[in-house]
Amino acid sequence: MTNNLFKKKVLFILLFAISNFVQAQKSLVLWYDKPSGNVWERALPIGNGKIGAMVYGNVSQEILQLNETSVWTGSPNRNDNPDALASLPAVRKLVFDGKQKEAEILSEKTIQSKKSNGQIFQPVGSLNLRFANHENYTNYRRELNIERAISTTTYSVDGVQYTRTSFVSSPTNTLVVRITANKANSISLDAFFTTPQKNVKLSTNSRKQLILHGATAGHEGVEGNQLKFNALTTFKQQGGSITSNDTLTKITGANEVIIYVNIATNFNSYKDLSGNEIARTEADLQKALPKPYATLLNEHVANFQSFFNRVKLDLGSNPAAEQKPTDVRLDEFRTNNDPTFASLYFQYGRYLLISSSKIGGQPANLQGIWNNKMFPSWDSKYTININTQMNYWPAEKTNLSEMHEPLLKMVKELSETGQETARIMYGSRGWVAHHNTDLWRITGPVDRIFWGVWSMGGAWLCQHLWERYLYTGNKAYLAEIYPILKGASLFFVDDLVEDPRNKYLVINPGTSPENAPAAHQGSSFDAGVTMDNQIVFDMLSVTIRAAELLKKDQQLVDTLKTIRKRLSPMRIGQYNQVQEWMEDIDSPNDKHRHISHLYGLFPSNQISPYRTPELFVGANNTLIQRGDVSTGWSMGWKVNWWARMLDGNHAHLLIQNQLSPLGVNAAGGGTYPNLFDAHAPFQIDGNFGCTSGIAEMLVQSHDGAIHLLPALPDFWKEKGSISGLKTRGGFEIVKMTWTNGKVTSLQIKSTIGGNCRLRIGAALKGKNVNLQTAKGENSNPLFITEETAKPIISPKASIILASIPPTFLYDFTTEKGKVYTFDVQ
């Protein structure tokens, strides 16, 4: 009796633990009770940073739509306009004379690219799996487990339960699909490739493998048929038979089928296409094929979780909502308190970054790594006037530093190609990149000059190089990136010109991305626009700091400091707003999706409640005037802005707006059923932007201290926890818990040592640390905030400073590798 009772207790404990584990897993699963059909935005994304696949989950004809990170049109090319340099004096004079439209018309002829406006990221094709007599099915479910990076589809036909499991392995660079049934000899299928690519050959070989080999086309005069790609599908079945014809492989009566898909190109770099795409697919296949399926799966999960599991987030729960399919939860989120859905979306952004950006691949583009169109919107390029940068806002802070690497490499490559653009078009030293680039690292203007004249892309991207240093404190890395920072600043040294009206040094021609004031007759051109000034300020400042830390280029440092003092300060206009342009011509009725002049609030730190209160209030007014609902990515940016405004409830409202089905927000974006962000159409930057914004609501470290729970909304106040977020100075939040909106426990790890400054809404007590009330500037150089000039305030403005919630500010000295524990008094 005693022994049986003990066994029952052990069994109960195990079942309870398993139940809790399963419940925990549900919070990190997207699931649906119907197939995608032919709707790409319902399919589920998997990837490893090189190969991407969209799994449709259809029953009778499954589709796995395939991408490879380097499959782009064209070949190595440049798009500089050599006529620009001679025309610059005339263009600048027209702008200074208030003839912006005339300057734009002249620039269309002399600065706008006469060559390519960028090449196109394109699909490889689709692997199709056709199952006979599977039209009538029951017990259907498909899901994406973002904690394990596995897509699973299950259903029953005639009493037989079928399971398909798909993942893209990083260790073997292979897409793996396993098909099982609970009855022997029940799996029969036809497998074949389809592709929208034109220059391709579909075939099979003696090993019954499917082969899709081709080359991408040229575009806008850039030579094609140079970038070659190869997709190879291999089958391993238990039981049954396998046959093939010219383009199809047939499996009949199998017990289990494992499918391996390998894709590669001949791309080595933006200037080298000498790789062997066929040999590469075969080499990757040989990494995967000899391994048992269980080994492949376990290696894949272990690799993925080595990144994903670094951060855990608990915002509370709503058990009733968590039992519903993901598309239903999406539909109800804006009117339902479902905090687990917000944490799911946060982690989904991290999942997408891990899956679309890995060392050895390309950076996540406008759609990450997933695209089914030959001519996607905006060519699915790298739009570097916000969208590409937004993709990587979560990288350092959500503990995915490795995922940052492809972007940092691209910045280095742009610093190489951008030197010629700076020389030819501006007669300048250093390097420059405009508002868009592609696989071939073009740096000249792209598309209409209305957008393309913007020359801040390279300098903004440099802030990502600097951010990596601020999070790691790695001096060797700083020495590596210093020439890139220096080159971007040297361009400004030569390109800035004196405004004859006020003697400030300004960028001319400049533009506030994609917007134009009514006062300029529809032209976007101007001189000394606010965002240009902010980015130039940041670029000069980080170069100065880097040079001082490395103890080099003192003469350049002196020059940059002199130039920085002559930049135009930010301004508060007649509507109590941060001005977008140097003139006070903003309209409070302007609802434009870009609010570029708040770059200084986020991702920069030039606007602060503690250092620049007038600008802080002006930013608040600007955000209110622009409104909440906009395109999906714009709402993602606004989550970050409202977090920086210390307004968690408004930030949460933007999350609700963004996490609304497309069509709900009148004249605005939203989210597709698979939780892809809708501009519309799909742009992945909104996903990444919102993930960054949620992190900013919980922890910030840009303003001289680690600020804990700076913008916690009422929806999340009751109880929650976060672990694994990183901050400037090499600190990691090992774990932070809160109850009723107040921190209840805290552990912080120091990875490099140095002073740690904490800002918190309640008094702290350290268990193994000597806390001191903080005074003056943070002694940790990784937290230094550069002081901007005092704003110029319009006589018509009536700024009433906001009351900022009181906080406690503490300093304590840390040692490398040590964890510090605190209680809240």
Side-chain angles (χ1 to χ4, degrees):
M1 289 290 292
T2 303
N3 190 41
N4 287 339
L5 182 61
F6 175 77
K7 288 180 178 178
K8 287 180 179 180
K9 285 184 177 180
V10 171
L11 180 60
F12 174 79
I13 292 170
L14 286 173
L15 290 174
F16 181 77
I18 291 170
S19 175
N20 283 346
F21 177 78
V22 171
Q23 185 64 33
Q25 297 305 299
K26 286 181 180 177
S27 67
L28 293 176
V29 172
L30 284 66
W31 74 274
Y32 307 83
D33 56 9
K34 50 187 174 294
S36 299
N38 292 317
V39 181
W40 188 85
E41 292 82 3
R42 291 183 178 274
L44 297 174
I46 56 176
N48 70 346
K50 293 184 179 180
I51 297 172
M54 294 292 285
V55 184
Y56 280 63
N58 295 335
V59 176
S60 59
Q61 183 159 322
E62 175 63 296
I63 302 170
L64 292 101
Q65 186 266 312
L66 305 172
N67 290 98
E68 200 278 343
T69 187
S70 59
V71 175
W72 290 66
T73 61
S75 53
N77 72 97
R78 298 195 61 85
N79 73 326
D80 310 313
N81 189 335
D83 296 335
L85 182 58
S87 74
L88 274 178
V91 170
R92 286 169 172 161
K93 185 176 188 306
L94 287 169
V95 171
F96 284 140
D97 290 344
K99 300 176 181 179
Q100 287 88 352
K101 193 63 181 178
E102 292 181 38
E104 184 178 328
I105 292 171
L106 175 59
S107 298
E108 286 177 356
K109 302 174 183 177
T110 60
I111 297 178
Q112 186 170 309
S113 178
K114 296 179 180 179
K115 301 176 183 178
S116 167
N117 287 297
Q119 297 302 299
I120 308 171
F121 177 60
Q122 291 187 327
V124 172
S126 295
L127 175 64
N128 301 270
L129 306 176
R130 187 167 57 209
F131 299 83
N133 303 316
H134 275 209
E135 290 77 12
N136 298 317
Y137 56 87
T138 58
N139 303 320
Y140 179 88
R141 176 187 170 103
R142 64 186 176 96
E143 67 175 42
L144 176 64
N145 186 318
I146 65 170
E147 191 176 32
R148 293 167 57 80
I150 296 172
S151 172
T152 305
T153 302
T154 59
Y155 60 91
S156 297
V157 174
D158 295 332
V160 180
Q161 182 176 336
Y162 294 87
T163 301
R164 304 178 198 153
T165 305
S166 306
F167 58 90
V168 187
S169 161
S170 281
T172 64
N173 196 35
T174 303
L175 165 61
V176 180
V177 182
R178 184 192 188 211
I179 306 170
T180 62
N182 65 353
K183 182 180 178 182
N185 308 119
S186 296
I187 303 173
S188 297
L189 62 89
D190 294 340
F192 54 95
F193 277 127
T194 56
T195 180
Q197 295 281 352
K198 302 302 181 184
N199 187 12
V200 294
K201 180 182 179 182
L202 302 177
S203 62
T204 60
N205 60 20
S206 59
R207 293 185 286 175
K208 311 297 189 296
Q209 293 172 312
L210 297 173
I211 302 169
L212 191 167
H213 186 268
T216 58
H219 179 62
E220 292 187 342
V222 176
E223 186 179 7
N225 200 31
Q226 301 298 305
L227 192 144
K228 299 177 182 179
F229 56 90
N230 192 62
L232 180 69
T233 298
T234 306
F235 304 87
K236 184 190 292 185
Q237 94 272 11
Q238 292 182 7
S241 62
I242 179 170
T243 60
S244 64
N245 60 26
D246 290 344
T247 60
L248 179 146
T249 294
K250 178 184 288 289
I251 294 174
T252 305
N255 303 324
E256 174 189 272
V257 177
I258 303 175
I259 303 171
Y260 307 82
V261 182
N262 299 96
I263 312 173
T265 73
N266 64 338
F267 179 88
N268 289 335
S269 75
Y270 70 90
K271 54 187 175 181
D272 180 1
L273 295 177
S274 64
N276 187 322
E277 68 284 359
I278 296 173
R280 284 173 172 171
T281 52
E282 188 63 38
D284 286 339
L285 173 63
Q286 293 311 314
K287 296 176 188 174
L289 196 60
K291 296 183 178 182
Y293 173 79
T295 301
L296 281 173
L297 178 64
N298 291 337
E299 288 179 350
H300 158 72
V301 172
N303 177 271
F304 177 82
Q305 291 189 337
S306 68
F307 305 108
F308 186 85
N309 283 353
R310 294 172 182 174
V311 173
K312 305 286 187 182
L313 176 62
D314 179 3
L315 297 175
S317 65
N318 182 335
E322 292 162 23
Q323 301 301 315
K324 298 177 181 180
T326 301
D327 50 349
V328 175
R329 293 178 73 183
L330 174 66
D331 188 51
E332 296 178 350
F333 180 71
R334 66 193 182 281
T335 57
N336 190 23
N337 181 18
D338 186 0
T340 311
F341 199 59
S343 59
L344 171 69
Y345 193 65
F346 167 83
Q347 293 285 28
Y348 187 51
R350 298 182 67 247
Y351 166 85
L352 293 173
L353 188 58
I354 298 168
S355 302
S356 63
S357 184
K358 283 278 186 70
I359 296 173
Q362 295 301 307
N365 60 49
L366 206 56
Q367 295 190 189
I369 199 175
W370 301 280
N371 165 43
N372 66 328
K373 295 181 173 66
M374 292 291 282
F375 296 94
S377 299
W378 306 286
D379 301 333
S380 196
K381 296 197 294 286
Y382 299 102
T383 306
I384 55 176
N385 68 7
I386 171 59
N387 311 98
T388 300
Q389 289 89 339
M390 184 183 284
N391 285 358
Y392 287 89
W393 287 347
E396 299 295 335
K397 68 183 69 167
T398 74
N399 215 331
L400 296 176
S401 187
E402 295 88 343
M403 280 68 251
H404 216 165
E405 290 291 340
L407 179 72
L408 304 183
K409 181 181 178 183
M410 184 175 82
V411 180
K412 179 180 184 299
E413 293 170 341
L414 290 172
S415 75
E416 297 166 359
T417 59
Q419 292 178 38
E420 186 73 356
T421 303
R423 185 184 68 81
I424 290 176
M425 295 188 63
Y426 296 91
S428 298
R429 295 170 294 169
W431 68 278
V432 65
H434 290 77
H435 100 288
N436 221 299
T437 191
D438 62 10
L439 182 73
W440 312 109
R441 307 308 188 238
I442 60 170
T443 48
V446 167
D447 299 325
R448 284 180 52 203
I449 202 64
F450 182 98
W451 301 288
V453 74
W454 191 76
S455 58
M456 298 290 111
W460 188 349
L461 286 171
C462 279
Q463 306 313 308
H464 283 260
L465 300 178
W466 179 244
E467 182 184 39
R468 163 63 67 82
Y469 171 70
L470 293 179
Y471 274 73
T472 63
N474 186 327
K475 283 284 187 70
Y477 163 78
L478 183 62
E480 289 177 12
I481 66 169
Y482 177 72
I484 303 173
L485 305 179
K486 178 180 176 180
S489 285
L490 282 175
F491 172 77
F492 290 138
V493 171
D494 293 347
D495 188 58
L496 287 163
V497 293
E498 183 178 87
D499 188 330
R501 302 165 296 183
N502 49 43
K503 307 306 180 183
Y504 290 120
L505 292 178
V506 296
I507 296 295
N508 181 7
T511 181
S512 193
E514 304 185 29
N515 199 9
H520 290 175
Q521 300 82 43
S523 173
S524 67
F525 276 44
D526 206 358
V529 301
T530 299
M531 189 192 208
D532 285 356
N533 301 334
Q534 293 169 338
I535 292 178
V536 173
F537 179 89
D538 273 355
M539 191 66 254
L540 301 183
S541 296
V542 302
T543 305
I544 291 167
R545 291 288 302 129
E548 290 175 339
L549 288 164
L550 296 170
K551 296 180 171 56
K552 61 195 310 179
D553 287 340
Q554 185 58 52
Q555 186 174 352
L556 175 63
V557 168
D558 293 341
T559 298
L560 297 184
K561 286 182 176 179
T562 300
I563 292 173
R564 188 173 61 178
K565 289 180 181 178
R566 296 190 60 193
L567 298 177
S568 177
M570 286 177 272
R571 291 167 162 77
I572 303 297
Q574 60 184 315
Y575 301 110
N576 304 315
Q577 87 286 5
V578 176
Q579 288 181 203
E580 188 164 2
W581 293 274
M582 195 179 295
E583 296 175 273
D584 192 359
I585 53 178
D586 300 51
S587 168
N589 299 316
D590 183 357
K591 306 300 179 185
H592 199 273
R593 62 194 177 278
H594 283 258
I595 317 180
S596 302
H597 48 307
L598 293 192
Y599 162 92
L601 175 63
F602 182 91
S604 185
N605 64 352
Q606 296 174 34
I607 299 175
S608 159
Y610 306 105
R611 294 179 291 108
T612 62
E614 295 90 354
L615 288 169
F616 182 75
V617 174
N620 183 84
N621 293 330
T622 295
L623 286 169
I624 291 172
Q625 290 165 14
R626 280 292 172 93
D628 294 333
V629 172
S630 187
T631 55
W633 66 263
S634 179
M635 291 189 286
W637 197 352
K638 289 173 183 175
V639 176
N640 292 269
W641 277 322
W642 282 111
R644 289 282 174 95
M645 295 305 302
L646 312 180
D647 191 337
N649 286 334
H650 209 138
H652 189 271
L653 176 62
L654 265 300
I655 296 172
Q656 289 178 306
N657 288 335
Q658 188 175 0
L659 274 173
S660 296
L662 183 63
V664 169
N665 297 317
T671 297
Y672 291 109
N674 63 2
L675 300 192
F676 272 169
D677 174 72
H679 176 289
F682 165 51
Q683 283 188 194
I684 203 167
D685 40 29
N687 291 95
F688 296 135
C690 195
T691 290
S692 167
I694 292 172
E696 289 281 331
M697 293 163 75
L698 302 173
V699 178
Q700 297 176 14
S701 63
H702 65 286
D703 202 10
I706 299 173
H707 195 166
L708 304 173
L709 300 186
L712 192 69
D714 292 341
F715 281 102
W716 304 345
K717 280 188 174 180
E718 182 178 353
K719 191 175 184 180
S721 65
I722 181 72
S723 62
L725 292 184
K726 289 286 192 75
T727 76
R728 290 188 180 195
F731 296 103
E732 179 177 340
I733 308 299
V734 176
K735 189 167 186 180
M736 176 175 64
T737 63
W738 64 87
T739 301
N740 297 324
K742 300 294 184 181
V743 175
T744 52
S745 66
L746 175 67
Q747 286 185 303
I748 294 179
K749 180 179 181 180
S750 175
T751 62
I752 59 177
N755 185 67
C756 183
R757 176 167 290 184
L758 297 178
R759 185 182 293 278
I760 187 170
L764 270 183
K765 182 179 180 182
K767 288 188 174 182
N768 59 343
V769 60
N770 181 25
L771 280 175
Q772 302 290 330
T773 300
K775 296 178 181 179
E777 189 175 81
N778 191 338
S779 62
N780 190 324
L782 300 175
F783 283 89
I784 285 179
T785 53
E786 299 290 346
E787 293 301 322
T788 60
K790 290 185 177 181
I792 296 174
I793 301 177
S794 167
K796 298 180 181 180
S798 55
I799 295 292
I800 300 174
L801 297 184
S803 58
I804 306 302
T807 57
F808 294 84
L809 204 59
Y810 297 103
D811 278 345
F812 63 98
T813 303
T814 71
E815 298 177 19
K816 180 179 179 180
K818 193 171 181 180
V819 176
Y820 298 86
T821 303
F822 305 86
D823 285 331
V824 178
Q825 297 178 0

